[in-house]
Amino acid sequence: MGLATLSGYRITFAVLAQSNFISLVRKDLLIEWRQKHTLFGVLLYVGSTVFVVYMMNGQPDAKVWNALFWLTQLFVAVNSVAKSFLQEPANRFRYYYTLVRPATFLLAKMVYSTLLMVLMSLASLVLFSVLLGWPLVQTSLFVLISMVGSISLSAVFTFLSAIAARANQNAALMAILGFPLVTPLLMILSNLAVKAIAPVYQPGWWSLALVLLLLDALVIVLGVVLFPFLWQE
Amino acid sequence: MRSSWWKVLGALLVGFAVAGGLLLPVPRLHILNETIRNLYYHVPMWFAMMALFTAGVIYSVKYLRSGNLADDIYAVGFTYTGIAFSCLGMATGMEWAKFTWGEPWSNDPKELGTALCMLTYFAYAILRGGMKDEEKRAKISAVYNIFAFALIIPLIYIMPRMVDSLHPGNGGNPAFAKYDLDSDMRMVFYPAIIGWVLLSFWIATLKIRLSLLTYKKEFNIDSNKFDFDKNKFDA
């Protein structure tokens, strides 16, 4: 590899690192890491939820396990993703408004929430395996579906958290707005996950997966189109 | 009497649907029996609801483009009337389900989808109720209205295909159109749909006119600028 190519790579990397998008995501992750109490607070929340489920139900059968997993994901999403807009004061948004385009800002927040949510689903998967048993037959497929689920949940709740923040409301409003909207998403996700749990024949699995991906794309596109209206005062 | 022909038409059609729906012959079917007449009242509620929600979203988009508060009043009027019609549709559906499926709540995916849709729009009402500033309330609720409509309405059509439904035309049940909806029933069913949709828009426009007058009075807007024929403000 020639020296010119190497320096070329360096320049590309430097441009990327300086771009607004990357620095916004990095800023959020940095804040998250510095205020460790919120991050570990959510982790503790996941842990105690799973423990409460275990205390009440013991080790459930595969179908209940699946339902409980997605229900836990829902509540974790409400608690962790809510912070993406609600944790920052309104004045700081005016400052961001002068710096970046609205779409960049929203997408950065969505990526940050997705990263957080992926971490949380992996943590809850580990806790589930320890406390509630391990009914999975295709682990990698289930992990893949829970990753897609993390993207779906964090995309929807990031946008709703923006709405709740602009309406000067708390996370409760976000839950009220979000639950009816994500219930069908959760139903699709848990139906998809059945394939990873029991080796049953499921007609139309791929079309269902396609519907989920299309819905995710729809949420992101709608968010990018509508967010500028939400942001301007 | 400004352009009121559609109101007269709507009232006549609904009158015909009520009278004809109770009096005209219907096919005698097992289990359904005379409850099949509920088709004339239950299904048009959903058509009216969908038409009203669609009109509401169109005015929400218009509001975001124009920033004219009259468009917000239109969107809210249509959406709230749509919520009322969804409640009516749910009530008539549960009554019908009690007689034919045995219980008012049968866990049918269409029932679930509609319940989700109703929850979404109740949340819209709560979102609006929490804000006092008109401009902000209009903008944020318009954004939520578009987002929710675009997400929840396709899902209502996708969900029943995921789970077996008790409704006609799903999960191996024969559709009404195939066997049961004979020409006698069509003669009442189609006028009933058109009539109820027109009547629902009439109700919505009454609500909108009232809100516009209240708004005008509250803000002391110059009445010269208010065009009553179009129910609109001149920019």
PDB file of all heavy atoms in Angstrom, chain A residues 159 163 166-169 173 177 180 184 191 208 215 218 222 226 229 232, chain B residues 64 116 119-120 127 130-131 136 139-140 143-144 147 150-152 155 159 162:
ATOM      1  N   PHE A 159     -38.633   9.276  17.878  1.00  0.00           N
ATOM      2  CA  PHE A 159     -39.489  10.318  17.308  1.00  0.00           C
ATOM      3  C   PHE A 159     -40.545  10.770  18.318  1.00  0.00           C
ATOM      4  O   PHE A 159     -40.805  11.965  18.481  1.00  0.00           O
ATOM      5  CB  PHE A 159     -40.152   9.811  16.030  1.00  0.00           C
ATOM      6  CG  PHE A 159     -40.855  10.893  15.276  1.00  0.00           C
ATOM      7  CD1 PHE A 159     -40.128  11.856  14.607  1.00  0.00           C
ATOM      8  CD2 PHE A 159     -42.229  10.967  15.254  1.00  0.00           C
ATOM      9  CE1 PHE A 159     -40.758  12.876  13.929  1.00  0.00           C
ATOM     10  CE2 PHE A 159     -42.876  11.982  14.589  1.00  0.00           C
ATOM     11  CZ  PHE A 159     -42.137  12.940  13.922  1.00  0.00           C
ATOM     12  N   ILE A 163     -41.476  14.401  20.157  1.00  0.00           N
ATOM     13  CA  ILE A 163     -42.802  15.019  20.299  1.00  0.00           C
ATOM     14  C   ILE A 163     -43.074  15.365  21.764  1.00  0.00           C
ATOM     15  O   ILE A 163     -43.481  16.477  22.096  1.00  0.00           O
ATOM     16  CB  ILE A 163     -43.908  14.072  19.766  1.00  0.00           C
ATOM     17  CG1 ILE A 163     -43.827  13.986  18.246  1.00  0.00           C
ATOM     18  CG2 ILE A 163     -45.283  14.572  20.179  1.00  0.00           C
ATOM     19  CD1 ILE A 163     -44.921  13.152  17.631  1.00  0.00           C
ATOM     20  N   ARG A 166     -41.036  18.375  22.911  1.00  0.00           N
ATOM     21  CA  ARG A 166     -41.533  19.648  22.398  1.00  0.00           C
ATOM     22  C   ARG A 166     -42.840  20.042  23.084  1.00  0.00           C
ATOM     23  O   ARG A 166     -43.155  21.207  23.201  1.00  0.00           O
ATOM     24  CB  ARG A 166     -41.744  19.576  20.884  1.00  0.00           C
ATOM     25  CG  ARG A 166     -40.486  19.615  20.101  1.00  0.00           C
ATOM     26  CD  ARG A 166     -39.799  20.980  20.186  1.00  0.00           C
ATOM     27  NE  ARG A 166     -40.513  21.975  19.395  1.00  0.00           N
ATOM     28  CZ  ARG A 166     -40.937  23.137  19.892  1.00  0.00           C
ATOM     29  NH1 ARG A 166     -40.732  23.427  21.143  1.00  0.00           N
ATOM     30  NH2 ARG A 166     -41.553  23.996  19.118  1.00  0.00           N
ATOM     31  N   ALA A 167     -43.615  19.043  23.520  1.00  0.00           N
ATOM     32  CA  ALA A 167     -44.873  19.347  24.199  1.00  0.00           C
ATOM     33  C   ALA A 167     -44.659  19.610  25.681  1.00  0.00           C
ATOM     34  O   ALA A 167     -45.625  19.720  26.426  1.00  0.00           O
ATOM     35  CB  ALA A 167     -45.860  18.200  24.006  1.00  0.00           C
ATOM     36  N   ASN A 168     -43.406  19.722  26.108  1.00  0.00           N
ATOM     37  CA  ASN A 168     -43.045  19.932  27.514  1.00  0.00           C
ATOM     38  C   ASN A 168     -43.650  18.875  28.418  1.00  0.00           C
ATOM     39  O   ASN A 168     -44.180  19.186  29.484  1.00  0.00           O
ATOM     40  CB  ASN A 168     -43.489  21.318  27.998  1.00  0.00           C
ATOM     41  CG  ASN A 168     -42.820  22.403  27.207  1.00  0.00           C
ATOM     42  OD1 ASN A 168     -41.685  22.221  26.750  1.00  0.00           O
ATOM     43  ND2 ASN A 168     -43.505  23.499  27.006  1.00  0.00           N
ATOM     44  N   GLN A 169     -43.658  17.639  27.959  1.00  0.00           N
ATOM     45  CA  GLN A 169     -44.265  16.580  28.763  1.00  0.00           C
ATOM     46  C   GLN A 169     -43.195  15.586  29.201  1.00  0.00           C
ATOM     47  O   GLN A 169     -42.042  15.678  28.810  1.00  0.00           O
ATOM     48  CB  GLN A 169     -45.326  15.847  27.944  1.00  0.00           C
ATOM     49  CG  GLN A 169     -46.459  16.730  27.489  1.00  0.00           C
ATOM     50  CD  GLN A 169     -47.464  16.980  28.583  1.00  0.00           C
ATOM     51  OE1 GLN A 169     -47.651  16.160  29.457  1.00  0.00           O
ATOM     52  NE2 GLN A 169     -48.110  18.132  28.537  1.00  0.00           N
ATOM     53  N   LEU A 173     -46.232  10.586  28.686  1.00  0.00           N
ATOM     54  CA  LEU A 173     -46.927  10.918  27.443  1.00  0.00           C
ATOM     55  C   LEU A 173     -46.369  10.089  26.294  1.00  0.00           C
ATOM     56  O   LEU A 173     -47.111   9.607  25.429  1.00  0.00           O
ATOM     57  CB  LEU A 173     -46.791  12.402  27.125  1.00  0.00           C
ATOM     58  CG  LEU A 173     -47.518  12.797  25.846  1.00  0.00           C
ATOM     59  CD1 LEU A 173     -49.005  12.906  26.085  1.00  0.00           C
ATOM     60  CD2 LEU A 173     -46.997  14.082  25.270  1.00  0.00           C
ATOM     61  N   LEU A 177     -48.508   7.754  23.816  1.00  0.00           N
ATOM     62  CA  LEU A 177     -48.489   7.910  22.362  1.00  0.00           C
ATOM     63  C   LEU A 177     -47.964   6.658  21.686  1.00  0.00           C
ATOM     64  O   LEU A 177     -48.401   6.279  20.604  1.00  0.00           O
ATOM     65  CB  LEU A 177     -47.605   9.090  21.964  1.00  0.00           C
ATOM     66  CG  LEU A 177     -47.988  10.481  22.417  1.00  0.00           C
ATOM     67  CD1 LEU A 177     -46.952  11.480  21.950  1.00  0.00           C
ATOM     68  CD2 LEU A 177     -49.345  10.876  21.891  1.00  0.00           C
ATOM     69  N   PRO A 180     -49.886   2.106  21.516  1.00  0.00           N
ATOM     70  CA  PRO A 180     -50.719   1.599  20.409  1.00  0.00           C
ATOM     71  C   PRO A 180     -49.949   1.470  19.106  1.00  0.00           C
ATOM     72  O   PRO A 180     -50.214   0.573  18.305  1.00  0.00           O
ATOM     73  CB  PRO A 180     -51.830   2.645  20.275  1.00  0.00           C
ATOM     74  CG  PRO A 180     -51.694   3.561  21.404  1.00  0.00           C
ATOM     75  CD  PRO A 180     -50.378   3.387  22.016  1.00  0.00           C
ATOM     76  N   PRO A 184     -48.483  -3.434  17.187  1.00  0.00           N
ATOM     77  CA  PRO A 184     -48.403  -4.281  15.987  1.00  0.00           C
ATOM     78  C   PRO A 184     -46.965  -4.654  15.624  1.00  0.00           C
ATOM     79  O   PRO A 184     -46.717  -5.792  15.208  1.00  0.00           O
ATOM     80  CB  PRO A 184     -49.024  -3.408  14.894  1.00  0.00           C
ATOM     81  CG  PRO A 184     -49.778  -2.365  15.597  1.00  0.00           C
ATOM     82  CD  PRO A 184     -49.090  -2.137  16.884  1.00  0.00           C
ATOM     83  N   ASN A 191     -43.947 -12.869  16.307  1.00  0.00           N
ATOM     84  CA  ASN A 191     -44.292 -13.906  15.327  1.00  0.00           C
ATOM     85  C   ASN A 191     -43.070 -14.374  14.557  1.00  0.00           C
ATOM     86  O   ASN A 191     -42.918 -15.564  14.263  1.00  0.00           O
ATOM     87  CB  ASN A 191     -45.333 -13.369  14.339  1.00  0.00           C
ATOM     88  CG  ASN A 191     -46.742 -13.609  14.828  1.00  0.00           C
ATOM     89  OD1 ASN A 191     -46.944 -13.889  15.995  1.00  0.00           O
ATOM     90  ND2 ASN A 191     -47.711 -13.506  13.943  1.00  0.00           N
ATOM     91  N   LEU A 208     -43.552 -11.469   6.054  1.00  0.00           N
ATOM     92  CA  LEU A 208     -43.715 -10.763   7.324  1.00  0.00           C
ATOM     93  C   LEU A 208     -42.450  -9.971   7.658  1.00  0.00           C
ATOM     94  O   LEU A 208     -42.513  -8.818   8.107  1.00  0.00           O
ATOM     95  CB  LEU A 208     -44.019 -11.777   8.434  1.00  0.00           C
ATOM     96  CG  LEU A 208     -44.732 -11.248   9.661  1.00  0.00           C
ATOM     97  CD1 LEU A 208     -46.050 -10.649   9.279  1.00  0.00           C
ATOM     98  CD2 LEU A 208     -44.917 -12.360  10.673  1.00  0.00           C
ATOM     99  N   LEU A 215     -41.860  -1.220   7.336  1.00  0.00           N
ATOM    100  CA  LEU A 215     -42.381  -0.351   8.389  1.00  0.00           C
ATOM    101  C   LEU A 215     -41.266   0.465   9.020  1.00  0.00           C
ATOM    102  O   LEU A 215     -41.420   1.660   9.283  1.00  0.00           O
ATOM    103  CB  LEU A 215     -43.080  -1.189   9.456  1.00  0.00           C
ATOM    104  CG  LEU A 215     -44.520  -1.574   9.154  1.00  0.00           C
ATOM    105  CD1 LEU A 215     -45.031  -2.532  10.197  1.00  0.00           C
ATOM    106  CD2 LEU A 215     -45.392  -0.331   9.136  1.00  0.00           C
ATOM    107  N   LEU A 218     -40.409   3.151   6.752  1.00  0.00           N
ATOM    108  CA  LEU A 218     -41.475   4.159   6.789  1.00  0.00           C
ATOM    109  C   LEU A 218     -41.308   5.075   7.999  1.00  0.00           C
ATOM    110  O   LEU A 218     -41.417   6.308   7.891  1.00  0.00           O
ATOM    111  CB  LEU A 218     -42.837   3.458   6.830  1.00  0.00           C
ATOM    112  CG  LEU A 218     -44.061   4.353   6.851  1.00  0.00           C
ATOM    113  CD1 LEU A 218     -44.251   4.994   5.497  1.00  0.00           C
ATOM    114  CD2 LEU A 218     -45.300   3.576   7.227  1.00  0.00           C
ATOM    115  N   LEU A 222     -40.634   8.999   7.593  1.00  0.00           N
ATOM    116  CA  LEU A 222     -41.603   9.927   8.186  1.00  0.00           C
ATOM    117  C   LEU A 222     -40.929  10.832   9.212  1.00  0.00           C
ATOM    118  O   LEU A 222     -41.192  12.041   9.260  1.00  0.00           O
ATOM    119  CB  LEU A 222     -42.718   9.150   8.884  1.00  0.00           C
ATOM    120  CG  LEU A 222     -43.889   8.672   8.046  1.00  0.00           C
ATOM    121  CD1 LEU A 222     -44.787   7.810   8.893  1.00  0.00           C
ATOM    122  CD2 LEU A 222     -44.666   9.856   7.513  1.00  0.00           C
ATOM    123  N   LEU A 226     -40.914  14.790   8.928  1.00  0.00           N
ATOM    124  CA  LEU A 226     -41.735  15.562   9.859  1.00  0.00           C
ATOM    125  C   LEU A 226     -40.934  16.298  10.931  1.00  0.00           C
ATOM    126  O   LEU A 226     -41.411  17.269  11.495  1.00  0.00           O
ATOM    127  CB  LEU A 226     -42.748  14.638  10.544  1.00  0.00           C
ATOM    128  CG  LEU A 226     -43.851  14.088   9.654  1.00  0.00           C
ATOM    129  CD1 LEU A 226     -44.678  13.076  10.407  1.00  0.00           C
ATOM    130  CD2 LEU A 226     -44.745  15.208   9.162  1.00  0.00           C
ATOM    131  N   PHE A 229     -40.516  20.218  11.099  1.00  0.00           N
ATOM    132  CA  PHE A 229     -41.679  20.975  11.562  1.00  0.00           C
ATOM    133  C   PHE A 229     -41.739  21.000  13.079  1.00  0.00           C
ATOM    134  O   PHE A 229     -42.194  21.959  13.687  1.00  0.00           O
ATOM    135  CB  PHE A 229     -42.965  20.363  11.014  1.00  0.00           C
ATOM    136  CG  PHE A 229     -43.094  20.491   9.544  1.00  0.00           C
ATOM    137  CD1 PHE A 229     -42.888  19.395   8.724  1.00  0.00           C
ATOM    138  CD2 PHE A 229     -43.393  21.708   8.960  1.00  0.00           C
ATOM    139  CE1 PHE A 229     -42.988  19.513   7.358  1.00  0.00           C
ATOM    140  CE2 PHE A 229     -43.493  21.833   7.594  1.00  0.00           C
ATOM    141  CZ  PHE A 229     -43.290  20.729   6.797  1.00  0.00           C
ATOM    142  N   GLN A 232     -38.689  23.605  14.513  1.00  0.00           N
ATOM    143  CA  GLN A 232     -38.745  25.063  14.425  1.00  0.00           C
ATOM    144  C   GLN A 232     -39.773  25.595  15.416  1.00  0.00           C
ATOM    145  O   GLN A 232     -40.778  24.973  15.693  1.00  0.00           O
ATOM    146  CB  GLN A 232     -39.066  25.493  12.998  1.00  0.00           C
ATOM    147  CG  GLN A 232     -40.301  24.843  12.471  1.00  0.00           C
ATOM    148  CD  GLN A 232     -40.516  25.112  11.000  1.00  0.00           C
ATOM    149  OE1 GLN A 232     -41.551  25.579  10.631  1.00  0.00           O
ATOM    150  NE2 GLN A 232     -39.533  24.796  10.170  1.00  0.00           N
TER     151      GLN A 232
ATOM    152  N   LEU B  64     -49.362  22.100   8.132  1.00  0.00           N
ATOM    153  CA  LEU B  64     -47.899  22.176   8.189  1.00  0.00           C
ATOM    154  C   LEU B  64     -47.359  22.991   7.019  1.00  0.00           C
ATOM    155  O   LEU B  64     -46.334  23.651   7.125  1.00  0.00           O
ATOM    156  CB  LEU B  64     -47.289  20.778   8.187  1.00  0.00           C
ATOM    157  CG  LEU B  64     -47.432  19.985   9.473  1.00  0.00           C
ATOM    158  CD1 LEU B  64     -46.714  18.666   9.358  1.00  0.00           C
ATOM    159  CD2 LEU B  64     -46.903  20.756  10.661  1.00  0.00           C
ATOM    160  N   LEU B 116     -56.603  -0.628  18.747  1.00  0.00           N
ATOM    161  CA  LEU B 116     -55.328   0.087  18.694  1.00  0.00           C
ATOM    162  C   LEU B 116     -55.502   1.450  18.029  1.00  0.00           C
ATOM    163  O   LEU B 116     -54.949   2.457  18.483  1.00  0.00           O
ATOM    164  CB  LEU B 116     -54.297  -0.725  17.912  1.00  0.00           C
ATOM    165  CG  LEU B 116     -53.735  -1.939  18.635  1.00  0.00           C
ATOM    166  CD1 LEU B 116     -52.802  -2.696  17.710  1.00  0.00           C
ATOM    167  CD2 LEU B 116     -52.996  -1.494  19.871  1.00  0.00           C
ATOM    168  N   LEU B 119     -57.112   3.751  20.446  1.00  0.00           N
ATOM    169  CA  LEU B 119     -56.154   4.190  21.473  1.00  0.00           C
ATOM    170  C   LEU B 119     -55.232   5.268  20.913  1.00  0.00           C
ATOM    171  O   LEU B 119     -54.917   6.260  21.583  1.00  0.00           O
ATOM    172  CB  LEU B 119     -55.321   3.001  21.959  1.00  0.00           C
ATOM    173  CG  LEU B 119     -56.006   2.019  22.891  1.00  0.00           C
ATOM    174  CD1 LEU B 119     -55.070   0.879  23.219  1.00  0.00           C
ATOM    175  CD2 LEU B 119     -56.433   2.716  24.167  1.00  0.00           C
ATOM    176  N   THR B 120     -54.790   5.063  19.647  1.00  0.00           N
ATOM    177  CA  THR B 120     -53.901   6.036  19.021  1.00  0.00           C
ATOM    178  C   THR B 120     -54.556   7.405  18.958  1.00  0.00           C
ATOM    179  O   THR B 120     -53.930   8.424  19.259  1.00  0.00           O
ATOM    180  CB  THR B 120     -53.559   5.571  17.598  1.00  0.00           C
ATOM    181  OG1 THR B 120     -53.122   4.228  17.653  1.00  0.00           O
ATOM    182  CG2 THR B 120     -52.493   6.422  16.994  1.00  0.00           C
ATOM    183  N   LEU B 127     -52.673  14.364  23.833  1.00  0.00           N
ATOM    184  CA  LEU B 127     -51.549  15.207  23.432  1.00  0.00           C
ATOM    185  C   LEU B 127     -51.998  16.647  23.250  1.00  0.00           C
ATOM    186  O   LEU B 127     -51.350  17.585  23.706  1.00  0.00           O
ATOM    187  CB  LEU B 127     -50.948  14.657  22.135  1.00  0.00           C
ATOM    188  CG  LEU B 127     -49.795  15.435  21.513  1.00  0.00           C
ATOM    189  CD1 LEU B 127     -48.572  15.339  22.391  1.00  0.00           C
ATOM    190  CD2 LEU B 127     -49.474  14.907  20.131  1.00  0.00           C
ATOM    191  N   GLY B 130     -52.857  18.574  26.508  1.00  0.00           N
ATOM    192  CA  GLY B 130     -51.746  18.938  27.388  1.00  0.00           C
ATOM    193  C   GLY B 130     -51.059  20.234  27.015  1.00  0.00           C
ATOM    194  O   GLY B 130     -50.168  20.678  27.719  1.00  0.00           O
ATOM    195  N   MET B 131     -51.449  20.832  25.872  1.00  0.00           N
ATOM    196  CA  MET B 131     -50.748  22.045  25.436  1.00  0.00           C
ATOM    197  C   MET B 131     -51.717  23.219  25.358  1.00  0.00           C
ATOM    198  O   MET B 131     -52.836  23.077  24.885  1.00  0.00           O
ATOM    199  CB  MET B 131     -50.102  21.815  24.074  1.00  0.00           C
ATOM    200  CG  MET B 131     -48.869  20.959  24.160  1.00  0.00           C
ATOM    201  SD  MET B 131     -48.163  20.631  22.550  1.00  0.00           S
ATOM    202  CE  MET B 131     -49.255  19.376  21.924  1.00  0.00           C
ATOM    203  N   LYS B 136     -48.269  25.995  18.852  1.00  0.00           N
ATOM    204  CA  LYS B 136     -47.480  24.821  19.184  1.00  0.00           C
ATOM    205  C   LYS B 136     -48.351  23.567  19.172  1.00  0.00           C
ATOM    206  O   LYS B 136     -47.979  22.538  18.619  1.00  0.00           O
ATOM    207  CB  LYS B 136     -46.909  25.041  20.589  1.00  0.00           C
ATOM    208  CG  LYS B 136     -45.760  24.147  20.949  1.00  0.00           C
ATOM    209  CD  LYS B 136     -45.224  24.632  22.281  1.00  0.00           C
ATOM    210  CE  LYS B 136     -44.224  23.674  22.839  1.00  0.00           C
ATOM    211  NZ  LYS B 136     -43.771  24.124  24.161  1.00  0.00           N
ATOM    212  N   LYS B 139     -49.127  22.554  15.624  1.00  0.00           N
ATOM    213  CA  LYS B 139     -47.986  21.980  14.897  1.00  0.00           C
ATOM    214  C   LYS B 139     -47.678  20.562  15.379  1.00  0.00           C
ATOM    215  O   LYS B 139     -47.578  19.627  14.594  1.00  0.00           O
ATOM    216  CB  LYS B 139     -46.764  22.885  15.080  1.00  0.00           C
ATOM    217  CG  LYS B 139     -45.629  22.511  14.175  1.00  0.00           C
ATOM    218  CD  LYS B 139     -44.544  23.547  14.241  1.00  0.00           C
ATOM    219  CE  LYS B 139     -44.824  24.718  13.330  1.00  0.00           C
ATOM    220  NZ  LYS B 139     -43.862  25.790  13.502  1.00  0.00           N
ATOM    221  N   ILE B 140     -47.567  20.409  16.719  1.00  0.00           N
ATOM    222  CA  ILE B 140     -47.166  19.106  17.256  1.00  0.00           C
ATOM    223  C   ILE B 140     -48.249  18.060  17.004  1.00  0.00           C
ATOM    224  O   ILE B 140     -47.963  16.922  16.626  1.00  0.00           O
ATOM    225  CB  ILE B 140     -46.837  19.225  18.757  1.00  0.00           C
ATOM    226  CG1 ILE B 140     -45.591  20.099  18.921  1.00  0.00           C
ATOM    227  CG2 ILE B 140     -46.605  17.875  19.380  1.00  0.00           C
ATOM    228  CD1 ILE B 140     -45.236  20.397  20.327  1.00  0.00           C
ATOM    229  N   VAL B 143     -48.129  16.924  13.406  1.00  0.00           N
ATOM    230  CA  VAL B 143     -47.028  15.985  13.176  1.00  0.00           C
ATOM    231  C   VAL B 143     -47.408  14.594  13.679  1.00  0.00           C
ATOM    232  O   VAL B 143     -47.240  13.590  12.978  1.00  0.00           O
ATOM    233  CB  VAL B 143     -45.744  16.484  13.875  1.00  0.00           C
ATOM    234  CG1 VAL B 143     -44.700  15.390  13.937  1.00  0.00           C
ATOM    235  CG2 VAL B 143     -45.187  17.686  13.147  1.00  0.00           C
ATOM    236  N   TYR B 144     -47.977  14.546  14.898  1.00  0.00           N
ATOM    237  CA  TYR B 144     -48.351  13.237  15.441  1.00  0.00           C
ATOM    238  C   TYR B 144     -49.462  12.596  14.619  1.00  0.00           C
ATOM    239  O   TYR B 144     -49.445  11.379  14.374  1.00  0.00           O
ATOM    240  CB  TYR B 144     -48.800  13.370  16.907  1.00  0.00           C
ATOM    241  CG  TYR B 144     -49.245  12.056  17.502  1.00  0.00           C
ATOM    242  CD1 TYR B 144     -48.321  11.065  17.776  1.00  0.00           C
ATOM    243  CD2 TYR B 144     -50.584  11.787  17.752  1.00  0.00           C
ATOM    244  CE1 TYR B 144     -48.710   9.848  18.287  1.00  0.00           C
ATOM    245  CE2 TYR B 144     -50.983  10.574  18.271  1.00  0.00           C
ATOM    246  CZ  TYR B 144     -50.048   9.616  18.540  1.00  0.00           C
ATOM    247  OH  TYR B 144     -50.440   8.409  19.039  1.00  0.00           O
ATOM    248  N   PHE B 147     -47.933  11.067  11.509  1.00  0.00           N
ATOM    249  CA  PHE B 147     -47.099   9.911  11.878  1.00  0.00           C
ATOM    250  C   PHE B 147     -47.968   8.716  12.254  1.00  0.00           C
ATOM    251  O   PHE B 147     -47.765   7.600  11.761  1.00  0.00           O
ATOM    252  CB  PHE B 147     -46.214  10.323  13.065  1.00  0.00           C
ATOM    253  CG  PHE B 147     -45.164   9.324  13.445  1.00  0.00           C
ATOM    254  CD1 PHE B 147     -44.072   9.120  12.628  1.00  0.00           C
ATOM    255  CD2 PHE B 147     -45.254   8.612  14.624  1.00  0.00           C
ATOM    256  CE1 PHE B 147     -43.084   8.225  12.971  1.00  0.00           C
ATOM    257  CE2 PHE B 147     -44.273   7.706  14.979  1.00  0.00           C
ATOM    258  CZ  PHE B 147     -43.195   7.516  14.157  1.00  0.00           C
ATOM    259  N   ALA B 150     -50.059   7.285   9.210  1.00  0.00           N
ATOM    260  CA  ALA B 150     -49.233   6.542   8.253  1.00  0.00           C
ATOM    261  C   ALA B 150     -48.796   5.195   8.821  1.00  0.00           C
ATOM    262  O   ALA B 150     -48.561   4.244   8.079  1.00  0.00           O
ATOM    263  CB  ALA B 150     -48.007   7.364   7.864  1.00  0.00           C
ATOM    264  N   LEU B 151     -48.696   5.093  10.162  1.00  0.00           N
ATOM    265  CA  LEU B 151     -48.245   3.831  10.755  1.00  0.00           C
ATOM    266  C   LEU B 151     -49.400   2.879  11.031  1.00  0.00           C
ATOM    267  O   LEU B 151     -49.325   1.689  10.749  1.00  0.00           O
ATOM    268  CB  LEU B 151     -47.531   4.103  12.076  1.00  0.00           C
ATOM    269  CG  LEU B 151     -46.030   4.228  12.031  1.00  0.00           C
ATOM    270  CD1 LEU B 151     -45.498   4.297  13.432  1.00  0.00           C
ATOM    271  CD2 LEU B 151     -45.421   3.047  11.310  1.00  0.00           C
ATOM    272  N   ILE B 152     -50.484   3.418  11.599  1.00  0.00           N
ATOM    273  CA  ILE B 152     -51.500   2.539  12.159  1.00  0.00           C
ATOM    274  C   ILE B 152     -52.467   2.046  11.090  1.00  0.00           C
ATOM    275  O   ILE B 152     -52.953   0.924  11.152  1.00  0.00           O
ATOM    276  CB  ILE B 152     -52.240   3.230  13.334  1.00  0.00           C
ATOM    277  CG1 ILE B 152     -52.792   2.193  14.298  1.00  0.00           C
ATOM    278  CG2 ILE B 152     -53.350   4.123  12.866  1.00  0.00           C
ATOM    279  CD1 ILE B 152     -51.814   1.665  15.264  1.00  0.00           C
ATOM    280  N   LEU B 155     -51.265  -0.970   9.230  1.00  0.00           N
ATOM    281  CA  LEU B 155     -51.198  -2.121  10.132  1.00  0.00           C
ATOM    282  C   LEU B 155     -52.564  -2.750  10.330  1.00  0.00           C
ATOM    283  O   LEU B 155     -52.681  -3.954  10.516  1.00  0.00           O
ATOM    284  CB  LEU B 155     -50.616  -1.694  11.475  1.00  0.00           C
ATOM    285  CG  LEU B 155     -49.112  -1.499  11.423  1.00  0.00           C
ATOM    286  CD1 LEU B 155     -48.617  -0.891  12.703  1.00  0.00           C
ATOM    287  CD2 LEU B 155     -48.426  -2.833  11.180  1.00  0.00           C
ATOM    288  N   MET B 159     -52.509  -6.649   9.986  1.00  0.00           N
ATOM    289  CA  MET B 159     -52.736  -7.496  11.166  1.00  0.00           C
ATOM    290  C   MET B 159     -53.680  -8.672  10.929  1.00  0.00           C
ATOM    291  O   MET B 159     -53.360  -9.794  11.307  1.00  0.00           O
ATOM    292  CB  MET B 159     -53.262  -6.641  12.314  1.00  0.00           C
ATOM    293  CG  MET B 159     -52.188  -5.913  13.054  1.00  0.00           C
ATOM    294  SD  MET B 159     -51.917  -6.586  14.677  1.00  0.00           S
ATOM    295  CE  MET B 159     -53.411  -6.092  15.508  1.00  0.00           C
ATOM    296  N   MET B 162     -52.228 -11.774   9.661  1.00  0.00           N
ATOM    297  CA  MET B 162     -51.272 -12.501  10.481  1.00  0.00           C
ATOM    298  C   MET B 162     -51.958 -13.546  11.340  1.00  0.00           C
ATOM    299  O   MET B 162     -51.396 -14.573  11.655  1.00  0.00           O
ATOM    300  CB  MET B 162     -50.522 -11.544  11.393  1.00  0.00           C
ATOM    301  CG  MET B 162     -49.456 -10.751  10.674  1.00  0.00           C
ATOM    302  SD  MET B 162     -48.928  -9.359  11.661  1.00  0.00           S
ATOM    303  CE  MET B 162     -48.586 -10.168  13.202  1.00  0.00           C
TER     304      MET B 162
END
